[in-house]
Amino acid sequence: MKIPAIFISLLLPITDVFACHVNIFANENMKPKVYLENGQAKGILIDMMDYIGADINCKFSYHLSSWARAYKNMLDRKGGVIGLSFTHAREQLIDYSDVMYNEDILLVSHINSPLNYKNINDLSEKKLAASRSAMYSDEFEQAIKDNVFTFIADNGDPAHRLKLVAKERIDLAIISPGLHAFNSVFDDNPEMLSLKRLLYISPQKFFVNPNYLGFSKQSNHKAFLKKFNQSMKKARENGVFKAIEKKYLY
């Protein structure tokens, strides 16, 4: 089933009366998944949220910042956070939606010391940079606790992260989602094009990372998440989510 580019406005009625109003927090530097453009929230997850909001008659207000701040706002019960990864430790604190989107997580090293990643032990004694509060799996979290590598937390700027690798100040940068995010850094920062040839992307993905919407368990959003999941299921069945991903990735 082919979904028109203006599928949201065509398929769903617009109303000024909403059954709920929910604040949604996210990382501002995760293009094409979620990002700021001229002060407006954009991206795959935002379009998905817009469709669901119209479907369940709920207004979402987007607040994009660093990942650490977005995650803290969710834990402080100010709203939900999108682009959330799952770990068992987080599950004790957070109620998760069903999977919204699966993103490829890349490992980028310097061309002079390329890393062909096979397993977590390949990161031993490396300096690795990623967004502060980023957790991609239980294995990744345990490796940080075990000091398998030196974890350098930043505010979520992939351009700065790749500059550190290109200048050999760190060994590895985590970049997501996928090659589109890597290439977008240079599209958005043409002054960095000379550095691109110095970077090497491991052929094996670091992770394929499911993304979720999450709320603090104390905020009691289980009933909302049930409606949210039902709407997502419908969006997948009618091809809307596939059309959203295609819009940004192909």
Side-chain angles (χ1 to χ4, degrees), residues 1 3 6-13 51 238 240:
M1 177 180 178
I3 306 297
I6 55 171
F7 52 83
I8 292 177
S9 60
L10 289 178
L11 290 177
L12 297 169
Y51 173 87
N238 65 23
V240 169

Side-chain angles (χ1 to χ4, degrees), residues 107-117 122-127 164-173 197-203:
L107 275 176
V108 182
S109 54
H110 196 281
I111 196 69
N112 290 340
S113 50
L115 177 72
N116 290 303
Y117 178 77
D122 292 335
L123 307 184
S124 178
E125 299 183 2
K126 304 290 187 183
K127 291 182 180 179
L164 292 179
V165 175
K167 295 177 181 179
E168 298 184 272
R169 292 175 59 186
I170 62 173
D171 300 301
L172 297 164
R197 61 182 178 80
L198 302 176
L199 302 172
Y200 177 82
I201 301 172
S202 177

Side-chain angles (χ1 to χ4, degrees), residues 71-111:
Y71 185 74
K72 184 178 185 301
N73 282 329
M74 179 273 297
L75 289 181
D76 289 343
R77 294 177 287 172
K78 295 179 180 178
V81 67
I82 52 175
L84 180 69
S85 303
F86 177 88
T87 70
H88 285 95
R90 283 179 171 175
E91 190 181 24
Q92 308 306 308
L93 303 172
I94 298 168
D95 286 326
Y96 281 81
S97 70
D98 292 342
V99 176
M100 290 186 68
Y101 170 68
N102 288 298
E103 64 175 332
D104 292 340
I105 309 295
L106 306 181
L107 275 176
V108 182
S109 54
H110 196 281
I111 196 69

Side-chain angles (χ1 to χ4, degrees), residues 203-223:
Q204 178 171 312
K205 301 177 183 70
F206 189 34
F207 292 109
V208 176
N209 187 43
N211 279 206
Y212 305 83
L213 166 66
F215 292 89
S216 166
K217 284 185 177 293
Q218 296 180 14
S219 68
N220 193 26
H221 276 77
K222 286 185 178 180

